[in-house]
PDB file of all heavy atoms in Angstrom:
ATOM      1  N   ARG A   1     -49.589  31.685-128.630  1.00  0.00           N
ATOM      2  CA  ARG A   1     -50.819  31.804-129.398  1.00  0.00           C
ATOM      3  C   ARG A   1     -51.310  33.245-129.401  1.00  0.00           C
ATOM      4  O   ARG A   1     -51.304  33.917-128.379  1.00  0.00           O
ATOM      5  CB  ARG A   1     -51.917  30.908-128.832  1.00  0.00           C
ATOM      6  CG  ARG A   1     -51.770  29.456-129.245  1.00  0.00           C
ATOM      7  CD  ARG A   1     -53.091  28.707-129.122  1.00  0.00           C
ATOM      8  NE  ARG A   1     -52.955  27.342-129.617  1.00  0.00           N
ATOM      9  CZ  ARG A   1     -53.073  26.991-130.877  1.00  0.00           C
ATOM     10  NH1 ARG A   1     -53.316  27.917-131.796  1.00  0.00           N
ATOM     11  NH2 ARG A   1     -52.949  25.735-131.250  1.00  0.00           N
ATOM     12  N   MET A   2     -51.743  33.702-130.566  1.00  0.00           N
ATOM     13  CA  MET A   2     -52.305  35.035-130.662  1.00  0.00           C
ATOM     14  C   MET A   2     -53.621  35.077-129.871  1.00  0.00           C
ATOM     15  O   MET A   2     -54.401  34.114-129.909  1.00  0.00           O
ATOM     16  CB  MET A   2     -52.534  35.412-132.126  1.00  0.00           C
ATOM     17  CG  MET A   2     -51.252  35.427-132.939  1.00  0.00           C
ATOM     18  SD  MET A   2     -51.510  35.665-134.722  1.00  0.00           S
ATOM     19  CE  MET A   2     -52.099  37.358-134.762  1.00  0.00           C
ATOM     20  N   PRO A   3     -53.884  36.168-129.142  1.00  0.00           N
ATOM     21  CA  PRO A   3     -55.081  36.236-128.294  1.00  0.00           C
ATOM     22  C   PRO A   3     -56.349  36.393-129.124  1.00  0.00           C
ATOM     23  O   PRO A   3     -56.795  37.510-129.422  1.00  0.00           O
ATOM     24  CB  PRO A   3     -54.817  37.468-127.422  1.00  0.00           C
ATOM     25  CG  PRO A   3     -53.915  38.329-128.247  1.00  0.00           C
ATOM     26  CD  PRO A   3     -53.049  37.372-129.019  1.00  0.00           C
ATOM     27  N   PHE A   4     -56.959  35.269-129.474  1.00  0.00           N
ATOM     28  CA  PHE A   4     -58.155  35.293-130.302  1.00  0.00           C
ATOM     29  C   PHE A   4     -58.827  33.936-130.231  1.00  0.00           C
ATOM     30  O   PHE A   4     -58.166  32.895-130.364  1.00  0.00           O
ATOM     31  CB  PHE A   4     -57.777  35.620-131.755  1.00  0.00           C
ATOM     32  CG  PHE A   4     -58.945  35.670-132.692  1.00  0.00           C
ATOM     33  CD1 PHE A   4     -59.755  36.788-132.752  1.00  0.00           C
ATOM     34  CD2 PHE A   4     -59.235  34.601-133.520  1.00  0.00           C
ATOM     35  CE1 PHE A   4     -60.841  36.848-133.621  1.00  0.00           C
ATOM     36  CE2 PHE A   4     -60.312  34.641-134.393  1.00  0.00           C
ATOM     37  CZ  PHE A   4     -61.118  35.767-134.439  1.00  0.00           C
ATOM     38  N   GLY A   5     -60.138  33.921-130.018  1.00  0.00           N
ATOM     39  CA  GLY A   5     -60.890  32.683-129.989  1.00  0.00           C
ATOM     40  C   GLY A   5     -60.873  32.007-128.628  1.00  0.00           C
ATOM     41  O   GLY A   5     -60.078  32.337-127.740  1.00  0.00           O
ATOM     42  N   VAL A   6     -61.757  31.036-128.467  1.00  0.00           N
ATOM     43  CA  VAL A   6     -61.866  30.276-127.224  1.00  0.00           C
ATOM     44  C   VAL A   6     -61.452  28.827-127.455  1.00  0.00           C
ATOM     45  O   VAL A   6     -60.523  28.331-126.825  1.00  0.00           O
ATOM     46  CB  VAL A   6     -63.299  30.350-126.651  1.00  0.00           C
ATOM     47  CG1 VAL A   6     -63.445  29.436-125.436  1.00  0.00           C
ATOM     48  CG2 VAL A   6     -63.645  31.791-126.274  1.00  0.00           C
ATOM     49  N   ASP A   7     -62.134  28.127-128.353  1.00  0.00           N
ATOM     50  CA  ASP A   7     -61.752  26.740-128.611  1.00  0.00           C
ATOM     51  C   ASP A   7     -60.332  26.620-129.162  1.00  0.00           C
ATOM     52  O   ASP A   7     -59.612  25.678-128.810  1.00  0.00           O
ATOM     53  CB  ASP A   7     -62.740  26.090-129.576  1.00  0.00           C
ATOM     54  CG  ASP A   7     -62.683  24.570-129.522  1.00  0.00           C
ATOM     55  OD1 ASP A   7     -63.005  24.005-128.454  1.00  0.00           O
ATOM     56  OD2 ASP A   7     -62.295  23.951-130.524  1.00  0.00           O
ATOM     57  N   PRO A   8     -59.861  27.567-130.010  1.00  0.00           N
ATOM     58  CA  PRO A   8     -58.470  27.468-130.482  1.00  0.00           C
ATOM     59  C   PRO A   8     -57.443  27.580-129.363  1.00  0.00           C
ATOM     60  O   PRO A   8     -56.297  27.171-129.542  1.00  0.00           O
ATOM     61  CB  PRO A   8     -58.349  28.670-131.449  1.00  0.00           C
ATOM     62  CG  PRO A   8     -59.728  28.918-131.915  1.00  0.00           C
ATOM     63  CD  PRO A   8     -60.599  28.629-130.726  1.00  0.00           C
ATOM     64  N   PHE A   9     -57.841  28.137-128.213  1.00  0.00           N
ATOM     65  CA  PHE A   9     -56.904  28.346-127.123  1.00  0.00           C
ATOM     66  C   PHE A   9     -56.773  27.135-126.201  1.00  0.00           C
ATOM     67  O   PHE A   9     -55.918  27.122-125.309  1.00  0.00           O
ATOM     68  CB  PHE A   9     -57.329  29.565-126.297  1.00  0.00           C
ATOM     69  CG  PHE A   9     -56.322  30.684-126.335  1.00  0.00           C
ATOM     70  CD1 PHE A   9     -56.235  31.519-127.438  1.00  0.00           C
ATOM     71  CD2 PHE A   9     -55.451  30.890-125.279  1.00  0.00           C
ATOM     72  CE1 PHE A   9     -55.315  32.540-127.488  1.00  0.00           C
ATOM     73  CE2 PHE A   9     -54.522  31.909-125.320  1.00  0.00           C
ATOM     74  CZ  PHE A   9     -54.445  32.742-126.420  1.00  0.00           C
ATOM     75  N   ARG A  10     -57.608  26.125-126.379  1.00  0.00           N
ATOM     76  CA  ARG A  10     -57.542  24.965-125.496  1.00  0.00           C
ATOM     77  C   ARG A  10     -56.286  24.142-125.778  1.00  0.00           C
ATOM     78  O   ARG A  10     -55.979  23.826-126.922  1.00  0.00           O
ATOM     79  CB  ARG A  10     -58.785  24.092-125.666  1.00  0.00           C
ATOM     80  CG  ARG A  10     -60.032  24.699-125.052  1.00  0.00           C
ATOM     81  CD  ARG A  10     -61.171  23.694-124.972  1.00  0.00           C
ATOM     82  NE  ARG A  10     -62.231  24.227-124.137  1.00  0.00           N
ATOM     83  CZ  ARG A  10     -63.296  24.890-124.606  1.00  0.00           C
ATOM     84  NH1 ARG A  10     -63.445  25.053-125.912  1.00  0.00           N
ATOM     85  NH2 ARG A  10     -64.212  25.363-123.782  1.00  0.00           N
ATOM     86  N   ALA A  11     -55.582  23.790-124.709  1.00  0.00           N
ATOM     87  CA  ALA A  11     -54.413  22.922-124.822  1.00  0.00           C
ATOM     88  C   ALA A  11     -54.881  21.465-124.900  1.00  0.00           C
ATOM     89  O   ALA A  11     -56.012  21.148-124.510  1.00  0.00           O
ATOM     90  CB  ALA A  11     -53.500  23.125-123.627  1.00  0.00           C
ATOM     91  N   PRO A  12     -54.031  20.551-125.397  1.00  0.00           N
ATOM     92  CA  PRO A  12     -54.448  19.149-125.546  1.00  0.00           C
ATOM     93  C   PRO A  12     -54.998  18.520-124.267  1.00  0.00           C
ATOM     94  O   PRO A  12     -55.913  17.687-124.349  1.00  0.00           O
ATOM     95  CB  PRO A  12     -53.158  18.454-125.992  1.00  0.00           C
ATOM     96  CG  PRO A  12     -52.412  19.509-126.730  1.00  0.00           C
ATOM     97  CD  PRO A  12     -52.693  20.777-125.978  1.00  0.00           C
ATOM     98  N   HIS A  13     -54.479  18.896-123.104  1.00  0.00           N
ATOM     99  CA  HIS A  13     -54.991  18.296-121.874  1.00  0.00           C
ATOM    100  C   HIS A  13     -56.348  18.869-121.472  1.00  0.00           C
ATOM    101  O   HIS A  13     -56.996  18.346-120.563  1.00  0.00           O
ATOM    102  CB  HIS A  13     -53.982  18.471-120.727  1.00  0.00           C
ATOM    103  CG  HIS A  13     -53.735  19.885-120.333  1.00  0.00           C
ATOM    104  ND1 HIS A  13     -52.867  20.704-121.019  1.00  0.00           N
ATOM    105  CD2 HIS A  13     -54.230  20.636-119.316  1.00  0.00           C
ATOM    106  CE1 HIS A  13     -52.829  21.894-120.441  1.00  0.00           C
ATOM    107  NE2 HIS A  13     -53.656  21.880-119.416  1.00  0.00           N
ATOM    108  N   ASN A  14     -56.800  19.944-122.170  1.00  0.00           N
ATOM    109  CA  ASN A  14     -58.103  20.532-121.890  1.00  0.00           C
ATOM    110  C   ASN A  14     -59.137  20.244-122.983  1.00  0.00           C
ATOM    111  O   ASN A  14     -60.248  20.784-122.933  1.00  0.00           O
ATOM    112  CB  ASN A  14     -57.971  22.059-121.735  1.00  0.00           C
ATOM    113  CG  ASN A  14     -57.252  22.441-120.465  1.00  0.00           C
ATOM    114  OD1 ASN A  14     -57.389  21.779-119.452  1.00  0.00           O
ATOM    115  ND2 ASN A  14     -56.468  23.507-120.520  1.00  0.00           N
ATOM    116  N   TYR A  15     -58.789  19.423-123.954  1.00  0.00           N
ATOM    117  CA  TYR A  15     -59.732  19.130-125.028  1.00  0.00           C
ATOM    118  C   TYR A  15     -60.963  18.417-124.474  1.00  0.00           C
ATOM    119  O   TYR A  15     -60.860  17.527-123.621  1.00  0.00           O
ATOM    120  CB  TYR A  15     -59.093  18.248-126.095  1.00  0.00           C
ATOM    121  CG  TYR A  15     -58.068  18.936-126.974  1.00  0.00           C
ATOM    122  CD1 TYR A  15     -57.313  18.208-127.890  1.00  0.00           C
ATOM    123  CD2 TYR A  15     -57.846  20.307-126.898  1.00  0.00           C
ATOM    124  CE1 TYR A  15     -56.378  18.827-128.714  1.00  0.00           C
ATOM    125  CE2 TYR A  15     -56.917  20.929-127.707  1.00  0.00           C
ATOM    126  CZ  TYR A  15     -56.179  20.188-128.610  1.00  0.00           C
ATOM    127  OH  TYR A  15     -55.254  20.802-129.409  1.00  0.00           O
ATOM    128  N   ILE A  16     -62.104  18.798-124.992  1.00  0.00           N
ATOM    129  CA  ILE A  16     -63.353  18.120-124.648  1.00  0.00           C
ATOM    130  C   ILE A  16     -63.532  16.889-125.535  1.00  0.00           C
ATOM    131  O   ILE A  16     -64.088  15.869-125.121  1.00  0.00           O
ATOM    132  CB  ILE A  16     -64.551  19.071-124.817  1.00  0.00           C
ATOM    133  CG1 ILE A  16     -64.291  20.398-124.085  1.00  0.00           C
ATOM    134  CG2 ILE A  16     -65.828  18.416-124.318  1.00  0.00           C
ATOM    135  CD1 ILE A  16     -64.112  20.265-122.608  1.00  0.00           C
ATOM    136  N   PHE A  17     -63.048  17.010-126.767  1.00  0.00           N
ATOM    137  CA  PHE A  17     -63.120  15.926-127.751  1.00  0.00           C
ATOM    138  C   PHE A  17     -61.708  15.576-128.215  1.00  0.00           C
ATOM    139  O   PHE A  17     -60.782  16.372-128.057  1.00  0.00           O
ATOM    140  CB  PHE A  17     -63.984  16.347-128.941  1.00  0.00           C
ATOM    141  CG  PHE A  17     -65.392  16.698-128.570  1.00  0.00           C
ATOM    142  CD1 PHE A  17     -65.715  17.986-128.168  1.00  0.00           C
ATOM    143  CD2 PHE A  17     -66.393  15.745-128.612  1.00  0.00           C
ATOM    144  CE1 PHE A  17     -67.010  18.320-127.815  1.00  0.00           C
ATOM    145  CE2 PHE A  17     -67.699  16.068-128.257  1.00  0.00           C
ATOM    146  CZ  PHE A  17     -67.999  17.357-127.852  1.00  0.00           C
ATOM    147  N   ALA A  18     -61.564  14.423-128.815  1.00  0.00           N
ATOM    148  CA  ALA A  18     -60.227  14.001-129.244  1.00  0.00           C
ATOM    149  C   ALA A  18     -59.674  14.925-130.321  1.00  0.00           C
ATOM    150  O   ALA A  18     -58.480  15.246-130.326  1.00  0.00           O
ATOM    151  CB  ALA A  18     -60.275  12.557-129.749  1.00  0.00           C
ATOM    152  N   ASN A  19     -60.520  15.367-131.251  1.00  0.00           N
ATOM    153  CA  ASN A  19     -60.095  16.265-132.316  1.00  0.00           C
ATOM    154  C   ASN A  19     -60.686  17.654-132.101  1.00  0.00           C
ATOM    155  O   ASN A  19     -61.852  17.792-131.719  1.00  0.00           O
ATOM    156  CB  ASN A  19     -60.525  15.720-133.680  1.00  0.00           C
ATOM    157  CG  ASN A  19     -59.707  14.518-134.095  1.00  0.00           C
ATOM    158  OD1 ASN A  19     -58.495  14.486-133.907  1.00  0.00           O
ATOM    159  ND2 ASN A  19     -60.373  13.508-134.651  1.00  0.00           N
ATOM    160  N   ARG A  20     -59.877  18.666-132.393  1.00  0.00           N
ATOM    161  CA  ARG A  20     -60.338  20.038-132.243  1.00  0.00           C
ATOM    162  C   ARG A  20     -61.448  20.367-133.228  1.00  0.00           C
ATOM    163  O   ARG A  20     -61.613  19.698-134.243  1.00  0.00           O
ATOM    164  CB  ARG A  20     -59.168  21.007-132.465  1.00  0.00           C
ATOM    165  CG  ARG A  20     -58.144  21.004-131.362  1.00  0.00           C
ATOM    166  CD  ARG A  20     -56.946  21.849-131.748  1.00  0.00           C
ATOM    167  NE  ARG A  20     -56.187  21.227-132.830  1.00  0.00           N
ATOM    168  CZ  ARG A  20     -55.157  21.800-133.432  1.00  0.00           C
ATOM    169  NH1 ARG A  20     -54.776  23.006-133.079  1.00  0.00           N
ATOM    170  NH2 ARG A  20     -54.515  21.164-134.396  1.00  0.00           N
ATOM    171  N   SER A  21     -62.178  21.432-132.932  1.00  0.00           N
ATOM    172  CA  SER A  21     -63.210  21.901-133.844  1.00  0.00           C
ATOM    173  C   SER A  21     -62.567  22.450-135.107  1.00  0.00           C
ATOM    174  O   SER A  21     -61.360  22.716-135.159  1.00  0.00           O
ATOM    175  CB  SER A  21     -64.043  22.996-133.168  1.00  0.00           C
ATOM    176  OG  SER A  21     -63.232  24.139-132.930  1.00  0.00           O
ATOM    177  N   PHE A  22     -63.355  22.660-136.138  1.00  0.00           N
ATOM    178  CA  PHE A  22     -62.847  23.233-137.386  1.00  0.00           C
ATOM    179  C   PHE A  22     -62.296  24.642-137.167  1.00  0.00           C
ATOM    180  O   PHE A  22     -61.287  25.016-137.770  1.00  0.00           O
ATOM    181  CB  PHE A  22     -63.947  23.268-138.443  1.00  0.00           C
ATOM    182  CG  PHE A  22     -64.485  21.913-138.811  1.00  0.00           C
ATOM    183  CD1 PHE A  22     -65.842  21.728-139.031  1.00  0.00           C
ATOM    184  CD2 PHE A  22     -63.645  20.817-138.940  1.00  0.00           C
ATOM    185  CE1 PHE A  22     -66.343  20.477-139.377  1.00  0.00           C
ATOM    186  CE2 PHE A  22     -64.125  19.569-139.284  1.00  0.00           C
ATOM    187  CZ  PHE A  22     -65.488  19.407-139.500  1.00  0.00           C
ATOM    188  N   ILE A  23     -62.938  25.426-136.298  1.00  0.00           N
ATOM    189  CA  ILE A  23     -62.437  26.781-136.071  1.00  0.00           C
ATOM    190  C   ILE A  23     -61.117  26.756-135.309  1.00  0.00           C
ATOM    191  O   ILE A  23     -60.313  27.671-135.420  1.00  0.00           O
ATOM    192  CB  ILE A  23     -63.464  27.671-135.340  1.00  0.00           C
ATOM    193  CG1 ILE A  23     -63.771  27.135-133.938  1.00  0.00           C
ATOM    194  CG2 ILE A  23     -64.736  27.814-136.150  1.00  0.00           C
ATOM    195  CD1 ILE A  23     -64.681  28.048-133.140  1.00  0.00           C
ATOM    196  N   GLY A  24     -60.892  25.698-134.538  1.00  0.00           N
ATOM    197  CA  GLY A  24     -59.656  25.611-133.771  1.00  0.00           C
ATOM    198  C   GLY A  24     -58.501  24.994-134.529  1.00  0.00           C
ATOM    199  O   GLY A  24     -57.343  25.229-134.187  1.00  0.00           O
ATOM    200  N   ARG A  25     -58.804  24.234-135.569  1.00  0.00           N
ATOM    201  CA  ARG A  25     -57.739  23.563-136.318  1.00  0.00           C
ATOM    202  C   ARG A  25     -57.532  24.157-137.708  1.00  0.00           C
ATOM    203  O   ARG A  25     -56.415  24.488-138.098  1.00  0.00           O
ATOM    204  CB  ARG A  25     -58.032  22.073-136.436  1.00  0.00           C
ATOM    205  CG  ARG A  25     -56.915  21.312-137.135  1.00  0.00           C
ATOM    206  CD  ARG A  25     -57.130  19.822-137.081  1.00  0.00           C
ATOM    207  NE  ARG A  25     -56.009  19.101-137.677  1.00  0.00           N
ATOM    208  CZ  ARG A  25     -55.915  17.777-137.752  1.00  0.00           C
ATOM    209  NH1 ARG A  25     -56.883  17.027-137.253  1.00  0.00           N
ATOM    210  NH2 ARG A  25     -54.875  17.199-138.292  1.00  0.00           N
ATOM    211  N   GLN A  26     -58.622  24.301-138.472  1.00  0.00           N
ATOM    212  CA  GLN A  26     -58.475  24.765-139.846  1.00  0.00           C
ATOM    213  C   GLN A  26     -58.502  26.290-139.966  1.00  0.00           C
ATOM    214  O   GLN A  26     -57.679  26.879-140.663  1.00  0.00           O
ATOM    215  CB  GLN A  26     -59.588  24.170-140.727  1.00  0.00           C
ATOM    216  CG  GLN A  26     -59.299  22.778-141.237  1.00  0.00           C
ATOM    217  CD  GLN A  26     -59.631  21.690-140.241  1.00  0.00           C
ATOM    218  OE1 GLN A  26     -60.246  21.945-139.214  1.00  0.00           O
ATOM    219  NE2 GLN A  26     -59.231  20.453-140.543  1.00  0.00           N
ATOM    220  N   ILE A  27     -59.454  26.956-139.303  1.00  0.00           N
ATOM    221  CA  ILE A  27     -59.637  28.388-139.508  1.00  0.00           C
ATOM    222  C   ILE A  27     -58.647  29.218-138.702  1.00  0.00           C
ATOM    223  O   ILE A  27     -58.043  30.164-139.215  1.00  0.00           O
ATOM    224  CB  ILE A  27     -61.088  28.805-139.171  1.00  0.00           C
ATOM    225  CG1 ILE A  27     -62.076  28.016-140.030  1.00  0.00           C
ATOM    226  CG2 ILE A  27     -61.281  30.307-139.391  1.00  0.00           C
ATOM    227  CD1 ILE A  27     -63.536  28.323-139.729  1.00  0.00           C
ATOM    228  N   CYS A  28     -58.473  28.889-137.442  1.00  0.00           N
ATOM    229  CA  CYS A  28     -57.640  29.740-136.579  1.00  0.00           C
ATOM    230  C   CYS A  28     -56.699  28.894-135.731  1.00  0.00           C
ATOM    231  O   CYS A  28     -56.994  28.578-134.575  1.00  0.00           O
ATOM    232  CB  CYS A  28     -58.517  30.609-135.679  1.00  0.00           C
ATOM    233  SG  CYS A  28     -57.592  31.704-134.582  1.00  0.00           S
ATOM    234  N   ASN A  29     -55.567  28.553-136.298  1.00  0.00           N
ATOM    235  CA  ASN A  29     -54.559  27.770-135.580  1.00  0.00           C
ATOM    236  C   ASN A  29     -53.231  28.517-135.682  1.00  0.00           C
ATOM    237  O   ASN A  29     -52.339  28.132-136.426  1.00  0.00           O
ATOM    238  CB  ASN A  29     -54.461  26.366-136.177  1.00  0.00           C
ATOM    239  CG  ASN A  29     -53.521  25.481-135.398  1.00  0.00           C
ATOM    240  OD1 ASN A  29     -53.182  25.756-134.251  1.00  0.00           O
ATOM    241  ND2 ASN A  29     -53.063  24.414-136.025  1.00  0.00           N
ATOM    242  N   TYR A  30     -53.122  29.622-134.935  1.00  0.00           N
ATOM    243  CA  TYR A  30     -51.993  30.526-135.107  1.00  0.00           C
ATOM    244  C   TYR A  30     -51.201  30.736-133.830  1.00  0.00           C
ATOM    245  O   TYR A  30     -51.723  31.231-132.824  1.00  0.00           O
ATOM    246  CB  TYR A  30     -52.468  31.897-135.606  1.00  0.00           C
ATOM    247  CG  TYR A  30     -53.098  31.860-136.975  1.00  0.00           C
ATOM    248  CD1 TYR A  30     -54.470  32.048-137.127  1.00  0.00           C
ATOM    249  CD2 TYR A  30     -52.334  31.626-138.116  1.00  0.00           C
ATOM    250  CE1 TYR A  30     -55.058  32.009-138.382  1.00  0.00           C
ATOM    251  CE2 TYR A  30     -52.912  31.581-139.368  1.00  0.00           C
ATOM    252  CZ  TYR A  30     -54.273  31.770-139.497  1.00  0.00           C
ATOM    253  OH  TYR A  30     -54.855  31.724-140.743  1.00  0.00           O
ATOM    254  N   ARG A  31     -49.945  30.332-133.896  1.00  0.00           N
ATOM    255  CA  ARG A  31     -48.945  30.814-132.954  1.00  0.00           C
ATOM    256  C   ARG A  31     -48.078  31.818-133.701  1.00  0.00           C
ATOM    257  O   ARG A  31     -47.868  31.686-134.902  1.00  0.00           O
ATOM    258  CB  ARG A  31     -48.067  29.678-132.421  1.00  0.00           C
ATOM    259  CG  ARG A  31     -48.676  28.903-131.275  1.00  0.00           C
ATOM    260  CD  ARG A  31     -47.713  27.843-130.771  1.00  0.00           C
ATOM    261  NE  ARG A  31     -48.170  27.270-129.523  1.00  0.00           N
ATOM    262  CZ  ARG A  31     -49.040  26.269-129.427  1.00  0.00           C
ATOM    263  NH1 ARG A  31     -49.532  25.725-130.527  1.00  0.00           N
ATOM    264  NH2 ARG A  31     -49.416  25.805-128.247  1.00  0.00           N
ATOM    265  N   ALA A  32     -47.559  32.811-133.004  1.00  0.00           N
ATOM    266  CA  ALA A  32     -46.757  33.831-133.669  1.00  0.00           C
ATOM    267  C   ALA A  32     -45.740  34.392-132.686  1.00  0.00           C
ATOM    268  O   ALA A  32     -45.822  34.164-131.476  1.00  0.00           O
ATOM    269  CB  ALA A  32     -47.647  34.948-134.217  1.00  0.00           C
ATOM    270  N   VAL A  33     -44.774  35.136-133.233  1.00  0.00           N
ATOM    271  CA  VAL A  33     -43.742  35.780-132.425  1.00  0.00           C
ATOM    272  C   VAL A  33     -44.076  37.264-132.329  1.00  0.00           C
ATOM    273  O   VAL A  33     -44.272  37.924-133.354  1.00  0.00           O
ATOM    274  CB  VAL A  33     -42.351  35.589-133.047  1.00  0.00           C
ATOM    275  CG1 VAL A  33     -41.276  36.224-132.166  1.00  0.00           C
ATOM    276  CG2 VAL A  33     -42.058  34.111-133.235  1.00  0.00           C
ATOM    277  N   GLY A  34     -44.151  37.782-131.107  1.00  0.00           N
ATOM    278  CA  GLY A  34     -44.491  39.186-130.929  1.00  0.00           C
ATOM    279  C   GLY A  34     -44.636  39.529-129.466  1.00  0.00           C
ATOM    280  O   GLY A  34     -43.986  38.933-128.602  1.00  0.00           O
ATOM    281  N   PHE A  35     -45.513  40.503-129.175  1.00  0.00           N
ATOM    282  CA  PHE A  35     -45.766  40.863-127.779  1.00  0.00           C
ATOM    283  C   PHE A  35     -47.225  41.261-127.627  1.00  0.00           C
ATOM    284  O   PHE A  35     -47.912  41.611-128.589  1.00  0.00           O
ATOM    285  CB  PHE A  35     -44.845  41.998-127.341  1.00  0.00           C
ATOM    286  CG  PHE A  35     -45.410  43.370-127.571  1.00  0.00           C
ATOM    287  CD1 PHE A  35     -46.004  44.074-126.530  1.00  0.00           C
ATOM    288  CD2 PHE A  35     -45.360  43.962-128.823  1.00  0.00           C
ATOM    289  CE1 PHE A  35     -46.533  45.327-126.732  1.00  0.00           C
ATOM    290  CE2 PHE A  35     -45.880  45.225-129.043  1.00  0.00           C
ATOM    291  CZ  PHE A  35     -46.466  45.922-127.983  1.00  0.00           C
ATOM    292  N   LYS A  36     -47.715  41.175-126.392  1.00  0.00           N
ATOM    293  CA  LYS A  36     -49.086  41.587-126.122  1.00  0.00           C
ATOM    294  C   LYS A  36     -49.177  42.232-124.743  1.00  0.00           C
ATOM    295  O   LYS A  36     -48.367  41.973-123.852  1.00  0.00           O
ATOM    296  CB  LYS A  36     -50.057  40.418-126.211  1.00  0.00           C
ATOM    297  CG  LYS A  36     -50.001  39.455-125.022  1.00  0.00           C
ATOM    298  CD  LYS A  36     -51.132  38.422-125.084  1.00  0.00           C
ATOM    299  CE  LYS A  36     -51.107  37.502-123.866  1.00  0.00           C
ATOM    300  NZ  LYS A  36     -52.236  36.542-123.874  1.00  0.00           N
ATOM    301  N   LEU A  37     -50.178  43.070-124.593  1.00  0.00           N
ATOM    302  CA  LEU A  37     -50.545  43.666-123.318  1.00  0.00           C
ATOM    303  C   LEU A  37     -51.872  43.068-122.871  1.00  0.00           C
ATOM    304  O   LEU A  37     -52.767  42.838-123.693  1.00  0.00           O
ATOM    305  CB  LEU A  37     -50.692  45.182-123.444  1.00  0.00           C
ATOM    306  CG  LEU A  37     -49.419  46.017-123.539  1.00  0.00           C
ATOM    307  CD1 LEU A  37     -49.765  47.467-123.859  1.00  0.00           C
ATOM    308  CD2 LEU A  37     -48.632  45.948-122.233  1.00  0.00           C
ATOM    309  N   SER A  38     -52.006  42.807-121.594  1.00  0.00           N
ATOM    310  CA  SER A  38     -53.271  42.323-121.044  1.00  0.00           C
ATOM    311  C   SER A  38     -53.584  43.093-119.770  1.00  0.00           C
ATOM    312  O   SER A  38     -52.672  43.478-119.024  1.00  0.00           O
ATOM    313  CB  SER A  38     -53.213  40.821-120.760  1.00  0.00           C
ATOM    314  OG  SER A  38     -52.231  40.525-119.793  1.00  0.00           O
ATOM    315  N   TYR A  39     -54.866  43.319-119.546  1.00  0.00           N
ATOM    316  CA  TYR A  39     -55.278  44.072-118.355  1.00  0.00           C
ATOM    317  C   TYR A  39     -56.568  43.483-117.810  1.00  0.00           C
ATOM    318  O   TYR A  39     -57.558  43.330-118.537  1.00  0.00           O
ATOM    319  CB  TYR A  39     -55.485  45.547-118.696  1.00  0.00           C
ATOM    320  CG  TYR A  39     -55.850  46.396-117.490  1.00  0.00           C
ATOM    321  CD1 TYR A  39     -55.008  46.470-116.380  1.00  0.00           C
ATOM    322  CD2 TYR A  39     -57.048  47.118-117.462  1.00  0.00           C
ATOM    323  CE1 TYR A  39     -55.336  47.233-115.282  1.00  0.00           C
ATOM    324  CE2 TYR A  39     -57.381  47.894-116.362  1.00  0.00           C
ATOM    325  CZ  TYR A  39     -56.520  47.948-115.275  1.00  0.00           C
ATOM    326  OH  TYR A  39     -56.843  48.702-114.171  1.00  0.00           O
ATOM    327  N   SER A  40     -56.548  43.127-116.542  1.00  0.00           N
ATOM    328  CA  SER A  40     -57.730  42.645-115.840  1.00  0.00           C
ATOM    329  C   SER A  40     -58.251  43.777-114.962  1.00  0.00           C
ATOM    330  O   SER A  40     -57.542  44.241-114.056  1.00  0.00           O
ATOM    331  CB  SER A  40     -57.392  41.417-114.979  1.00  0.00           C
ATOM    332  OG  SER A  40     -56.951  40.341-115.790  1.00  0.00           O
TER     333      SER A  40
END
């Protein structure tokens, strides 16, 4: 998953509701092939 959004990042076992929100399903539902850097 591309690093963007909060609800779109929830996996099925972490869903609060049975169906995802509109922003998580219709607006931003993107997996892609690439690379990313992360820093804490």
Side-chain angles (χ1 to χ4, degrees):
R1 281 201 176 275
M2 299 173 68
F4 180 80
V6 174
D7 199 64
F9 243 78
R10 287 192 168 95
H13 64 278
N14 290 325
Y15 288 173
I16 309 298
F17 300 87
N19 288 319
R20 289 173 291 174
S21 66
F22 299 140
I23 63 175
R25 183 172 184 179
Q26 276 83 10
I27 302 178
C28 180
N29 185 18
Y30 296 109
R31 278 183 169 85
V33 182
F35 90 99
K36 75 172 182 177
L37 285 172
S38 62
Y39 183 58
S40 297

